Amino acid sequence: MATINTLARPYAKAAFEHACAVAQTDAWVNMLALAASFVESPEVTAQLRNPALTTARKCAFVAELCAERIDESFRNFLVALSENDRLELLPTVREQFDALKAEADRALEVQIETAHELNAEQLQTLAAALSKRLDRTVQPTPIVNPALIGGLIIRAGDLVIDGSVRGKLNQLAEALKS
């Protein structure tokens, strides 16, 4: 059985390619976010799962919710999703679209987990160093986790840099065991 990501991927790629072709990636980010937020609500999900509604009515329902904030090409995108019974994939399509846009923009969201809150200067210095190392524009998200004791953990996509005291102690414990 196909996973949700596998089902959403072609729609996200098609939407991204269209948005790039018409130079409206930011507008599509906003439209996808809006439609996805509606689809994630329990009331809308219940309507989309209602077997009494036709696919055209389901599409019209979502389009009515977003009415004044979507354009005709996005409405056509909703029709394509609806015809294939994929409207519930909108949140996943949005995530994948955002990832494609970030890759094209050479941007990366980075989580910086520390034991204590970082000031703006420290966060900016870390972001600059990470931007240079990763060759991308870094958008840092600070997270405070007192369980780290000290140091920090950086998560950038699938890259994890563990410079925490806890991580160093775990490495030392592993080295002593072997």
Side-chain angles (χ1 to χ4, degrees):
M1 184 168 159
T3 67
I4 291 174
N5 286 325
T6 303
L7 293 172
R9 188 172 298 116
Y11 296 102
K13 286 178 74 175
F16 184 72
E17 289 170 5
H18 171 75
C20 286
V22 295
Q24 291 186 331
T25 54
D26 291 334
W28 272 74
V29 164
N30 295 332
M31 291 184 289
L32 278 168
L34 176 67
S37 68
F38 282 124
V39 169
E40 288 176 320
S41 75
E43 298 85 10
V44 175
T45 301
Q47 287 294 323
L48 294 178
R49 291 183 179 163
N50 183 351
L53 292 179
T54 64
T55 56
R57 184 62 199 130
K58 291 176 184 178
C59 178
F61 176 66
V62 174
E64 286 171 18
L65 292 172
C66 306
E68 295 179 16
R69 295 166 78 193
I70 61 173
D71 61 16
E72 191 60 33
S73 62
F74 192 80
R75 195 172 265 104
N76 292 339
F77 179 69
L78 290 176
V79 169
L81 284 170
S82 178
E83 287 174 349
N84 294 298
D85 198 25
R86 302 284 193 248
L87 281 172
E88 290 184 42
L89 293 178
L90 272 167
T92 309
V93 170
R94 184 202 72 231
E95 290 171 10
Q96 292 185 3
F97 186 96
D98 290 347
L100 289 168
K101 184 177 183 316
E103 183 65 31
D105 293 345
R106 303 223 13 103
L108 186 63
E109 286 190 26
V110 176
Q111 292 180 340
I112 301 175
E113 191 174 344
T114 59
H116 304 284
E117 191 169 338
L118 297 175
N119 63 37
E121 184 181 329
Q122 291 170 322
L123 199 56
Q124 187 177 18
T125 302
L126 271 171
L130 287 169
S131 291
K132 186 175 180 180
R133 176 169 182 205
L134 300 173
D135 192 28
R136 297 191 185 286
T137 304
V138 170
Q139 298 154 348
T141 303
I143 299 170
V144 176
N145 180 359
L148 290 180
I149 305 169
L152 53 89
I153 297 175
I154 299 170
R155 288 183 179 84
D158 59 355
L159 172 69
V160 177
I161 302 170
D162 188 350
S164 67
V165 173
R166 174 174 280 196
K168 299 293 183 191
L169 290 173
N170 288 340
Q171 287 176 347
L172 181 61
E174 285 297 318
L176 291 173
K177 287 179 185 176
S178 53

